[in-house]
Amino acid sequence: MQHSAWFSVLSAAIAGGVTLFDMDQTFIVGDVSGYRVYRSVWWWGFIVVNSVTAVAVFFGLRALAAFQGWNSWLFAAGIGVTYLAFVRLKFATVSYQNAEIPIGLDTFYESGRQFVFKRINEEIKANRAQRAQRLIDDNDLKALGNKVRLDINLDALLTPEERKTRLAWLLTVLQDPGFDEEQKKTTLAVYLASGTQV
């Protein structure tokens, strides 16, 4: 059975979804800073590139005899889910100055992934810095402490133990004699802008 080219759209859609989930775990869509990372050209560009790669893998494998008996839906879905295995193929590994250098498609994929992720991260960092500065400028220490406490208590993704740990961290920051008021405000503003405890 020749798999119809239309099924490549399913491969592309699944590959795009896999990429989206990977990026979501890294950058947190709708993160606490209010920045919507999905507005980034880099975000959508990387998803599109991965979808197109899955289509290329689909067309590269569909004529092989080993896949001719497969159900078209199963074949297309399988390509969408496993396309990363194909782009991460390593043909050989070369040792150079005590470092292992992979030779294959993986080198290009990982380099491209890191290139895109750095650009997305820079956009997010700039937005979080702006939000943190606004929080510092617009609130006193007590107000920031109350905002952090409210944020922790309203976070449905925290386990009771994580909530307890974060509230203890908040108390430690507010009572730390080694921090002046501005340092405390900065620490709390960074938490509100990024969800990061520093």
Side-chain angles (χ1 to χ4, degrees):
M1 171 198 309
Q2 182 70 27
H3 302 293
S4 167
W6 287 107
F7 284 98
S8 68
V9 175
L10 176 60
S11 295
I14 293 173
V18 169
T19 305
L20 174 67
F21 298 148
D22 175 40
M23 294 168 74
D24 179 67
Q25 286 183 326
T26 304
F27 297 111
I28 311 170
V29 174
D31 74 71
V32 291
S33 71
Y35 178 69
R36 301 297 180 252
V37 72
Y38 47 78
R39 293 180 186 162
S40 169
V41 172
W42 292 106
W43 177 271
W44 290 111
F46 192 62
I47 291 173
V48 168
V49 166
N50 277 274
S51 297
V52 169
T53 302
V55 170
V57 171
F58 176 92
F59 284 114
L61 297 180
R62 78 178 188 153
L64 296 179
F67 298 108
Q68 290 304 305
W70 285 43
N71 173 286
S72 293
W73 290 99
L74 181 61
F75 177 74
I79 296 296
V81 171
T82 63
Y83 82 100
L84 274 180
F86 293 104
V87 297
R88 290 189 167 170
L89 283 175
K90 295 175 187 165
F91 304 118
T93 304
V94 177
S95 293
Y96 178 72
Q97 295 181 350
N98 296 326
E100 297 290 319
I101 303 170
I103 305 297
L105 299 175
D106 181 59
T107 305
F108 297 106
Y109 179 80
E110 269 309 311
S111 297
R113 182 177 184 271
Q114 289 307 313
F115 179 84
V116 171
F117 277 26
K118 283 178 186 175
R119 271 86 194 146
I120 294 171
N121 191 48
E122 287 303 314
E123 292 177 3
I124 291 172
K125 279 170 44 182
N127 182 269
R128 287 177 176 175
Q130 288 175 353
R131 178 153 193 259
Q133 192 59 56
R134 281 196 308 271
L135 285 164
I136 292 167
D137 294 341
D138 298 344
N139 296 277
D140 60 17
L141 181 59
K142 183 178 179 182
L144 277 174
N146 287 335
K147 285 177 188 283
V148 171
R149 184 175 291 105
L150 188 63
D151 182 82
I152 292 168
N153 285 322
L154 293 178
D155 193 335
L157 297 179
L158 294 178
T159 65
E161 187 58 37
E162 288 171 329
R163 185 171 286 110
K164 183 178 175 183
T165 301
R166 290 194 186 197
L167 287 170
W169 167 82
L170 170 61
L171 192 58
T172 300
V173 170
L174 291 173
Q175 296 177 346
D176 189 340
F179 272 18
D180 62 28
E181 185 168 330
E182 280 306 304
Q183 290 172 312
K184 291 177 182 181
K185 284 176 65 176
T186 299
T187 300
L188 298 181
V190 167
Y191 177 84
L192 288 170
S194 68
T196 304
Q197 299 174 49
V198 293

